[in-house]
Amino acid sequence: MSPSVAPSLSHAERFARLTALLAESQPLWRPLPFQHRASPWGEASLALDAALLALTEDEAARLQDAPFTDSPLAEWLPVAKLEALSALPELKGDGRALPAAWAAHVGGRKWSQIEAFLPRVAAAPEERLVEWCAGKGHLARSLSRRGETEVTALEWQAALCQDGQRLADRQGAAVRMAEQDVLAPEAGRWLSSETHVAALHACGDLHARLIELCAAQGSAVTLAPCCYQRTAASHYRPLSQGGREGVAAQGLSLTREELAMAVQETVTAPRHVRVRREQAGAWRLGFDLLQREVRGIDAYLPVPSLAYGQLPERFEAFCRWAAEQKGLALPAAGIDWSAFETAGARRRAEVRRRELVRHLFRRPLEVWLVLDRALRLEEAGFDVELGTFCARELTPRNLLLRASRRADHG
Ligand SMILES: C[S@@+](CC[C@H](N)C(=O)[O-])C[C@H]1O[C@@H](n2cnc3c(N)ncnc32)[C@H](O)[C@@H]1O
């Protein structure tokens, strides 16, 4: 299958094919390479593992950034199918640029995202606009100014509402910041068949709630979802009936932690952050080898994460900190720190290559999750468009769902 074939698929068909592919590939993407001392796929994939380990630094970095492009792993993995099924078109906007002056008080990257998102909010003139999980209502202000219309912005933090209201009043934008927990039972009162909800980067349960309320009340919606793993449920339960049937039939199951794989593609961090992150990763793997030896148990031991800037200066200090976290007594003398540090660095290079297998499934999983949201709304009688709203360099969470209830549907 070539990448150009899949865009013509219906959402249901694309979802079904992705469900099957994700389900049959579970043994490939589920194992976390950093938890394993050797290949996490066992005897069955020795050739794949050897090919991964043979990748040069440059080739591994290239595939990390563009997992589908000229992948030497295509011999063993369904690279072309994954690429085709996760390729979505760019959704068209109205092409009207926003005045630069409206960017005042908005962070540079967030403003660029708003510039890309807002022209794609195709609200009908008679629809009342609502922003969902609005923060300070940056999107709401521009929506209001562009449409010369009132926008209600829902946000549960009182301080953000106050700041947002001040900004809107100062700029003469007709925004009403409303303090509202969108998960509370009464949140549905803001939605009706006459509203259009805009939600830029609303997390897991917050956007799932929005979808459910739109389905129930008939509100139109333009949503860029993010952080699918921010959910109260420990295991993913598809929103759509088709999704629930699909996962049951195919035996696909996803924990909350596995949902995070869909959003692990991050915009490249500055070099000094990357270097430090690599160092932390290598030290963790070095400590892992040490703890296996000290405990006499050849099994991975999770160590809490450290905020950026908290990493000790030296490997030994890191190991002593990690051991303390785990209540592990390290011998006072006789540890060859430099040998463990070197082994950790070697293992880090291997893990980075083995993680390329999971990278291949990140975007397909994200697209699968968005398709589930699309199907939920289609099942409720909505027309749904899915696509991208900006380049992934601006934000990797660049998928957009646009939906409105079909006129012939109650
Ligand atoms: C990821 S931010 C998105 C903010 C804004 N849309 C943007 O793109 O910058 C999520 C926002 O949701 C708000 N939020 C979190 N939980 C909420 C809830 N239960 N009800 C309403 N707002 C909530 C947070 O306070 C935060 O302002």
Side-chain angles (χ1 to χ4, degrees):
M1 187 192 299
S2 76
S4 59
V5 174
S8 61
L9 293 174
S10 71
H11 295 145
E13 182 58 28
R14 187 190 287 264
F15 181 81
R17 291 194 197 183
L18 270 173
T19 307
L21 198 51
L22 288 169
E24 75 190 35
S25 309
Q26 288 177 97
L28 287 166
W29 58 256
R30 202 182 295 287
L32 297 166
F34 64 84
Q35 295 188 349
H36 299 261
R37 275 203 301 129
S39 162
W41 307 290
E43 297 285 312
S45 300
L46 287 181
L48 166 65
D49 196 54
L52 285 162
L53 297 188
L55 292 172
T56 63
E57 256 323 286
D58 284 354
E59 188 77 335
R62 182 185 73 75
L63 289 170
Q64 210 161 359
D65 195 45
F68 300 129
T69 310
D70 297 329
S71 176
L73 310 178
E75 195 176 324
W76 300 278
L77 302 170
V79 178
K81 262 194 196 175
L82 289 166
E83 179 178 24
L85 290 172
S86 52
L88 288 171
E90 183 193 328
L91 284 188
K92 290 280 162 281
D94 66 11
R96 283 162 54 199
L98 304 180
W102 294 5
H105 307 286
V106 188
R109 187 174 285 277
K110 183 51 68 182
W111 175 248
S112 301
Q113 292 169 9
I114 289 174
E115 279 184 303
F117 180 92
L118 194 146
R120 292 170 169 85
V121 181
E126 66 280 10
E127 286 174 338
R128 281 181 294 110
L129 285 164
V130 176
E131 185 186 1
W132 196 253
C133 298
K136 293 184 186 174
H138 297 319
L139 173 65
R141 280 199 308 286
S142 287
L143 274 171
S144 163
R145 295 172 93 175
R146 189 188 66 150
E148 294 177 359
T149 183
E150 188 175 301
V151 179
T152 304
L154 308 180
E155 166 58 50
W156 74 343
Q157 290 193 48
L160 293 179
C161 286
Q162 285 154 16
D163 285 356
Q165 196 61 61
R166 258 194 299 274
L167 284 173
D169 294 346
R170 210 188 299 159
Q171 295 177 0
V175 171
R176 175 163 59 128
M177 296 292 309
E179 208 177 310
Q180 174 69 55
D181 175 357
V182 300
L183 299 179
E186 77 282 1
R189 72 196 154 111
W190 301 100
L191 271 62
S192 73
S193 57
E194 274 113 48
T195 52
H196 188 122
V197 183
L200 174 56
H201 293 161
C203 304
D205 282 346
L206 305 178
H207 73 245
R209 169 89 165 133
L210 171 60
I211 300 269
E212 289 308 324
L213 287 174
C214 288
Q217 321 268 69
S219 174
V221 60
T222 302
L223 161 70
C226 75
C227 302
Y228 304 88
Q229 77 281 11
R230 297 222 177 139
T231 161
S234 62
H235 285 77
Y236 186 64
R237 182 173 188 270
L239 277 61
S240 65
Q241 178 71 25
R244 290 192 289 278
E245 289 167 8
V247 295
Q250 300 284 344
L252 174 61
S253 83
L254 287 150
T255 64
R256 189 196 291 128
E257 290 70 31
E258 285 163 350
L259 292 180
M261 184 171 89
V263 298
Q264 265 157 5
E265 182 195 11
T266 50
V267 176
T268 309
R271 202 186 121 71
H272 67 278
V273 177
R274 273 182 288 141
V275 168
R276 207 73 182 129
R277 207 184 276 157
E278 271 306 299
Q279 165 108 88
W283 283 3
R284 281 176 178 278
L285 292 167
F287 172 75
D288 185 60
L289 295 170
L290 173 65
Q291 67 79 15
R292 285 175 198 243
E293 205 165 296
V294 171
R295 290 197 305 150
I297 302 171
D298 192 13
Y300 176 76
L301 190 65
V303 171
S305 53
L306 269 172
Y308 180 75
Q310 302 278 299
L311 193 68
E313 280 303 309
R314 291 177 50 245
F315 176 62
E316 178 179 345
F318 170 77
C319 289
R320 296 212 177 276
W321 169 83
E324 196 182 313
Q325 300 301 307
K326 304 308 289 183
L328 180 68
L330 294 180
I335 296 177
D336 186 345
W337 296 106
S338 122
F340 279 105
E341 186 172 2
T342 306
R346 197 179 320 117
R347 212 176 135 199
R348 175 75 195 135
E350 291 171 3
V351 163
R352 213 162 350 97
R353 285 161 177 74
R354 289 178 173 136
E355 278 177 346
L356 292 173
V357 172
R358 280 169 68 79
H359 289 352
L360 273 173
F361 290 90
R362 282 183 315 205
R363 186 66 162 186
L365 176 59
E366 183 177 13
V367 169
W368 183 83
L369 289 164
V370 180
L371 282 164
D372 178 37
R373 281 138 186 80
L375 292 188
R376 170 71 184 96
L377 288 169
E378 285 182 354
E379 288 167 0
F382 284 62
D383 284 324
V384 184
E385 293 172 282
L386 280 188
T388 59
F389 71 97
C390 65
R392 66 183 259 268
E393 288 72 22
L394 189 52
T395 166
R397 301 288 76 69
N398 65 350
L399 295 179
L400 190 76
L401 177 156
R402 207 156 54 176
S404 55
R405 172 77 56 76
R406 279 197 297 277
D408 61 355
H409 203 282

